[in-house]
Every structure is written in structure tokens, then in C-alpha cells.
Amino acid sequence: MNSPKRSGGVVEIELIGILNGHTDRVDCIQVSQEFKIIVSGSSDGTAIIWDSNRLKYVKSLQPHKGPVVAVAIHPSTGYIVTIDRVNSGSNIYLWSINAKLIAEESATSDVRCLYHWKTWSWKKPCHNWTPKRRNSTT
């Protein structure tokens, strides 16, 4: 990805490509320079992994039950977390970098942001979330 250019204190950015794949607005995006991927989440209920070098579709993260409102990529493991919004709550999903669903959890609050610090945490209200691994046979 190109670095922003600075000109007289103003940061200039340039469009280097368009990624087509969502059918509604993109609500969140995360770039991983470590793994050379982009993950985008949309109001259409989809999250997509993109190759940031080639600007090409890689895989979809499915299923989601509502609009995807937050995404994050762990810089050392490549794990991806997505959050969707349903009714007055949210669902939190943990994915491998190969788009395999590892764990999921429902939250009774409307979670809209996510951060990582050694382990994953989600906010609003701020709680620690320890993913429950899915049964490998499901």
C-alpha cells in the first residue's frame, strides 16, 4: 500500500484501486501490513478478506447474522475478529486467517468497537472476552 504524501502540512491520499464485493455500504475496515490483507465489513452482513498487494478478493467470512460493524486483525497471529449487530445485541466471531470460524459468542449489549492487547477485548460495556472454541465436528 502506498504511504500518504505530505505537502505543506497537508496529507494527500490517492485512490489506488476499488474493491468490489459488498452489496451495501462498507461500515468498517482493517488493514494488516504484517499479513498483507485487508478485512472489510458491510451493512449487507458480509465480511471479506482482500489481498492488499494485488487488491483482489480472497475469501468471505461467513455466516454473519446482521450488519458487520467492527473488524480487527491480530498483528502476530493473523486471527480476525468480526462483530455483527442483531436487534439490541451483537455476535462476536473469531476466525483463522484462512477464514475458518474458530469461536463465536453472543453479547446482550450493542458492541461496536474492538481492540487487542495481548488478548482480545471488546468494548461497550468494556468486558474481556475469552473465545469459546467451536466443536471441530460442527
Side-chain angles (χ1 to χ4, degrees):
M1 302 204 70
N2 297 346
S3 296
K5 298 174 188 165
R6 297 187 186 276
S7 173
V10 176
V11 176
E12 298 177 11
I13 58 172
E14 74 178 277
L15 178 66
I16 58 171
I18 297 174
L19 305 175
N20 293 303
H22 296 292
T23 59
D24 204 343
R25 73 173 185 257
V26 173
D27 294 320
C28 51
I29 189 164
Q30 178 78 40
V31 177
S32 169
Q33 293 180 339
E34 297 84 3
F35 291 95
K36 308 295 186 235
I37 61 171
I38 301 167
V39 178
S40 57
S42 172
S43 290
D44 65 9
T46 63
I48 298 176
I49 302 173
W50 308 91
D51 179 316
S52 65
N53 287 332
R54 298 179 307 136
L55 299 177
K56 299 286 184 191
Y57 170 90
V58 176
K59 289 190 176 192
S60 292
L61 301 171
Q62 298 176 345
H64 287 95
K65 298 174 181 104
V68 179
V69 296
V71 297
I73 307 164
H74 195 282
S76 60
T77 63
Y79 285 149
I80 300 165
V81 172
T82 59
I83 298 174
D84 67 17
R85 185 177 61 242
V86 285
N87 301 322
S88 61
S90 299
N91 297 300
I92 306 164
Y93 305 88
L94 176 66
W95 309 86
S96 73
I97 196 165
N98 296 316
K100 180 180 180 193
L101 183 59
I102 298 169
E104 63 183 290
E105 182 79 21
S106 294
T108 56
S109 60
D110 189 12
V111 180
R112 291 185 178 244
C113 63
L114 174 73
Y115 68 94
H116 56 81
W117 181 80
K118 295 184 183 178
T119 60
W120 288 101
S121 295
W122 51 271
K123 292 178 118 178
K124 193 176 179 190
C126 185
H127 297 284
N128 287 328
W129 173 56
T130 303
K132 296 177 183 139
R133 296 217 176 249
R134 289 174 57 97
N135 184 336
S136 61
T137 60
T138 58

